[in-house]
Amino acid sequence: MMEKADSGQKLYTRMRLWEFPDQYVIEPTDGSHGSSLAVSRVDGSMQLIDKLPDSNSVRVPKIRTIFGVVGILKLLAGSYLMVITDRECVGSYLGHPIFKVSSLKVFPCDHSLKNSPTEQKKMETEFSGLLNIAERTPGLYFSYETNLTLSAQRLHDLGDESKLLPLWRQAEPRFLWNNYMLEGLIDSKLDPYLLPIVQGSFHHFQAAIGKDIIDVTLIARRCTRRNGTRMWRRGADSDGYVANFVETEQIMHLNGFTASFVQVRGSIPLLWEQIVDLTYKPKFELVRLEESPRVAERHFLDLRKKYGAVLAVDLVNTHGGEGRLSEKFANAMQHIVSDDLRYWHFDFHHICGHVHFERLSILYEQIVDFLDRNGYLLLNEKGEKMKEQLGVVRTNCIDCLDRTNVTQSMIARNMLEGQLRRLGIFAAEETISSHPNLDDCFKILWANHGDDISIQYSGTAALKGDFVRCGKRTMQGIAKDGINALLRYYFNNFVDGTKQDAIDLLQGHYIVSVSRDMTPSSQKGGLEAVASFPLALSFVLTGFFFATLSLRQVRYDLRHLFFSVIWAGLSVAIAAFVRANGRIFCNRPRLHKPRC
């Protein structure tokens, strides 16, 4: 029955999900009159049907409106259907409506689990529990009409035949967030249900420049190849794919003209990691150092194929652990730099400190020749290409969040000013700062973008965001950075391990099978079975509390001095033990997977 699906059909934009006792039925309700999709609640198998099943008068099926099928994930015994239950229109991309996922819901197809062994049921429960975390995945966007995974330049360059293909077949796999979960629907040729989703950021604004109205959009696309959380995904894998790789595109529409400028960010492309151990900044550990040149070469070869010339801007410190990592990066780059691959180090903290971010103009002067030479995409009123982007700036700091976002926003600002001069809107010396409303909108655009990317990787808004948002560092911003830094510490150590497991499961980085195993909490023994940071912290605080009480009683009875020393000693001993055994107390990913 699968042959009924027509690959030329448009995506269904609104559907009704029926919950029958033995199956879920997804019925298109957008006027397209397509066949309904029936998904078995026993094993997740799918088929197209033309008529809804008869309802049992005793048990009326639940009905809910959905706006897209994200995909199906198969675990040990059951399968799990993920759908979009709410959406929000956030703007348009090249004239097509863009939606943000407001709510996801997972529907289990696991009736076959009833006949599974007890141990398998226990494992299935632990795996499926990770899907509750998946339902809260932030920053998911989609369009029913255009391909969000491709930049304006790549969309413009698509051949006529490619433009006729279903959106999922046009998609760039690196940025297709639900790529793995769509596989079952792809195999069943269910094109009208195959909705491509990207994770990232989408913001836009309109502002007046005299009598002209400028429309600016900022869209970010996160790569899924080495996706994850801040401390649990660092550096590159052996194929050269790096953590927190994000393509950011700034699009400007004005008087019928369209300009697009793309930048990328990504972790330092070496095999390195930071294993959380309750220290504020865990040590950087380089893995298989002899492979560094090959890994870096693979990474930049891939970038040159996709973007043309590459300028790698490294913003990390020259001293301490960052300095050692940067030195290894620079050494690896010496073997592969060429006419279309350049490396530039700029010690952000040394030059700009914590408040003088305007000194980034020094960096701009150093790289402006590359930007002028490789340019941006410019289309005229007829959609004809007047200019194209021939290369990309790749920016990194350690997290590729805070310093990177400040730097990328500076480059994007200068490029937008250049575009406006090219179109005759700005005079030679005119800048965005000359137009307060445009200036404010631009700052907010990039600040919101930075917060989105940071939340997805670190769990908090970006640091240094007050400079991007306000154009200067503020005491309120510095205080907010302090709070966010503490929150990052908490998330990295006690939350992100489980979150990383959920990401690996959704992206297909961990394939569930009977022969593979997860280390369930019930199998932990010894200290790990009872280790809990909150519990340890409560013991420490209790010890200091009684030590303080004893000290207050010393003036009445000297024996309390002895008790005070005992309580304080116990508190210090527990604190030292937690510090020495930090990895035991941390919330680590439990899915078995190789380092790097």
Side-chain angles (χ1 to χ4, degrees):
M1 298 188 71
M2 294 300 175
E3 285 71 18
K4 290 184 179 181
D6 177 11
S7 62
Q9 285 183 269
K10 292 184 178 180
L11 288 166
Y12 299 138
T13 59
R14 182 184 292 265
M15 290 150 277
R16 187 180 291 130
L17 188 146
W18 300 73
E19 296 184 48
F20 292 98
D22 60 340
Q23 64 184 336
Y24 301 110
V25 175
I26 300 173
E27 175 194 13
T29 56
D30 57 0
S32 57
H33 306 294
S35 298
S36 298
L37 174 63
V39 183
S40 169
R41 297 182 70 164
V42 177
D43 57 7
S45 60
M46 296 171 283
Q47 64 174 337
L48 293 173
I49 59 175
D50 292 322
K51 182 182 177 182
L52 290 174
D54 294 329
S55 299
N56 187 324
S57 58
V58 177
R59 186 174 180 182
V60 179
K62 292 182 181 179
I63 306 171
R64 71 178 70 220
T65 298
I66 66 172
F67 301 96
V69 177
V70 176
I72 288 186
L73 188 68
K74 184 171 179 57
L75 298 183
L76 280 172
S79 295
Y80 297 80
L81 171 69
M82 183 178 288
V83 300
I84 298 169
T85 53
D86 201 5
R87 69 186 182 189
E88 173 191 0
C89 186
V90 293
S92 63
Y93 180 58
L94 304 175
H96 302 283
I98 303 303
F99 297 91
K100 181 177 182 179
V101 175
S102 301
S103 175
L104 290 174
K105 185 166 180 61
V106 174
F107 291 89
C109 308
D110 59 354
H111 288 185
S112 61
L113 195 60
K114 296 175 183 177
N115 303 318
S116 300
T118 303
E119 188 62 26
Q120 192 169 343
K121 288 181 181 178
K122 187 184 301 183
M123 296 298 296
E124 184 84 1
T125 301
E126 297 223 25
F127 279 122
S128 60
L130 296 175
L131 299 183
N132 297 327
I133 298 171
E135 288 181 337
R136 301 190 294 273
T137 303
L140 301 180
Y141 297 86
F142 65 93
S143 171
Y144 300 110
E145 301 175 6
T146 191
N147 197 332
L148 278 184
T149 67
L150 299 181
S151 66
Q153 181 161 305
R154 295 192 65 188
L155 275 174
H156 184 272
D157 293 342
L158 273 183
D160 292 336
E161 291 185 6
S162 296
K163 291 177 182 177
L164 295 175
L165 295 174
L167 290 182
W168 72 268
R169 293 192 64 186
Q170 301 175 23
E172 164 60 72
R174 294 181 303 156
F175 302 130
L176 186 56
W177 178 80
N178 56 332
N179 192 20
Y180 177 65
M181 289 181 284
L182 286 179
E183 287 182 358
L185 282 77
I186 291 172
D187 292 342
S188 300
K189 299 181 174 61
L190 299 170
D191 288 344
Y193 291 97
L194 290 163
L195 179 65
I197 297 174
V198 300
Q199 185 182 31
S201 174
F202 186 95
H203 297 281
H204 75 105
F205 71 82
Q206 286 186 333
I209 306 176
K211 296 181 180 180
D212 299 299
I213 302 296
I214 184 174
D215 187 302
V216 180
T217 297
L218 196 61
I219 179 170
R221 307 170 179 96
R222 289 177 64 84
C223 180
T224 62
R225 297 291 170 81
R226 191 165 168 76
N227 202 2
T229 56
R230 179 170 169 250
M231 287 295 181
W232 300 108
R233 277 293 181 271
R234 291 299 214 186
D237 62 18
S238 57
D239 293 319
Y241 295 115
V242 296
N244 203 28
F245 184 87
V246 182
E247 177 185 280
T248 300
E249 180 182 18
Q250 179 176 280
I251 303 171
M252 182 269 292
H253 296 287
L254 182 67
N255 298 338
F257 289 86
T258 299
S260 163
F261 176 64
V262 171
Q263 301 181 73
V264 296
R265 67 176 78 190
S267 192
I268 293 176
L270 305 176
L271 302 177
W272 65 279
E273 58 191 9
Q274 277 182 287
I275 303 297
V276 296
D277 56 4
L278 294 186
T279 58
Y280 182 70
K281 284 189 176 182
K283 292 190 303 182
F284 301 108
E285 297 183 17
L286 281 155
V287 183
R288 303 195 300 275
L289 187 57
E290 69 280 0
E291 296 184 33
S292 294
R294 181 186 58 81
V295 170
E297 184 176 16
R298 283 190 176 187
H299 175 72
F300 284 103
L301 178 62
D302 181 61
L303 288 189
R304 295 208 303 274
K305 286 180 179 178
K306 290 181 169 65
Y307 299 102
V310 179
L311 171 60
V313 176
D314 183 14
L315 302 173
V316 303
N317 301 338
T318 55
H319 61 274
E322 285 193 17
R324 290 189 293 274
L325 198 57
S326 180
E327 180 184 0
K328 300 300 182 185
F329 184 22
N331 291 340
M333 292 299 293
Q334 286 181 4
H335 302 284
I336 56 176
V337 290
S338 61
D339 292 339
D340 61 353
L341 174 59
R342 292 172 52 191
Y343 169 83
W344 194 265
H345 182 264
F346 182 84
D347 190 332
F348 186 102
H349 283 152
H350 176 71
I351 298 172
C352 300
H354 294 285
V355 293
H356 298 293
F357 296 167
E358 71 281 355
R359 292 177 184 168
L360 277 171
S361 59
I362 298 172
L363 172 63
Y364 184 75
E365 291 302 320
Q366 294 168 342
I367 66 174
V368 67
D369 61 322
F370 179 91
L371 295 169
D372 288 343
R373 185 166 60 252
N374 292 285
Y376 49 86
L377 171 72
L378 182 63
L379 305 177
N380 64 18
E381 303 98 318
K382 298 178 182 179
E384 299 168 338
K385 188 186 294 185
M386 301 173 61
K387 183 181 177 67
E388 66 179 329
Q389 186 170 347
L390 303 173
V392 70
V393 177
R394 180 206 189 275
T395 310
N396 75 268
C397 45
I398 287 297
D399 298 332
C400 304
L401 295 177
D402 312 316
R403 286 171 277 183
T404 294
N405 203 63
V406 173
T407 303
Q408 285 195 336
S409 68
M410 177 273 295
I411 295 172
R413 171 184 285 261
N414 281 279
M415 294 303 290
L416 181 57
E417 290 172 345
Q419 292 162 3
L420 292 172
R421 294 187 190 105
R422 171 72 182 265
L423 298 178
I425 305 299
F426 273 7
E429 301 301 322
E430 198 170 358
T431 65
I432 291 175
S433 301
S434 309
H435 303 267
N437 185 47
L438 174 62
D439 189 38
D440 289 344
C441 290
F442 185 86
K443 290 172 182 174
I444 292 171
L445 182 82
W446 271 90
N448 290 341
H449 160 79
D451 286 346
D452 287 349
I453 299 303
S454 181
I455 287 169
Q456 291 160 30
Y457 191 49
S458 71
T460 76
L463 309 185
K464 304 176 176 67
D466 55 333
F467 180 81
V468 180
R469 196 176 296 274
C470 307
K472 61 181 180 180
R473 291 246 66 183
T474 63
M475 288 304 298
Q476 183 180 3
I478 292 172
K480 185 178 178 181
D481 283 358
I483 295 172
N484 282 336
L486 291 175
L487 285 173
R488 284 184 181 182
Y489 171 81
Y490 173 78
F491 292 142
N492 296 159
N493 284 277
F494 311 116
V495 175
D496 285 350
T498 304
K499 186 177 175 182
Q500 184 66 58
D501 283 339
I503 292 171
D504 286 337
L505 208 57
L506 288 183
Q507 308 283 206
H509 300 318
Y510 180 87
I511 309 298
V512 176
S513 67
V514 177
S515 60
R516 299 188 68 177
D517 191 18
M518 178 174 76
T519 308
S521 54
S522 60
Q523 292 181 2
K524 290 181 181 179
L527 179 62
E528 283 196 74
V530 296
S532 164
F533 179 76
L535 180 63
L537 180 62
S538 66
F539 280 136
V540 171
L541 294 178
T542 300
F544 278 119
F545 173 74
F546 282 113
T548 302
L549 285 182
S550 296
L551 276 176
R552 295 180 63 180
Q553 299 298 319
V554 167
R555 58 181 173 175
Y556 304 114
D557 191 338
L558 284 177
R559 286 180 302 174
H560 285 287
L561 178 61
F562 171 76
F563 294 130
S564 179
V565 171
I566 293 295
W567 281 114
L570 284 172
S571 300
V572 171
I574 293 172
F577 180 79
V578 171
R579 169 64 183 85
N581 296 275
R583 296 186 187 186
I584 294 177
F585 288 85
C586 296
N587 170 236
R588 295 170 293 172
R590 291 182 291 142
L591 300 184
H592 292 307
K593 45 191 174 283
R595 289 157 64 100
C596 292

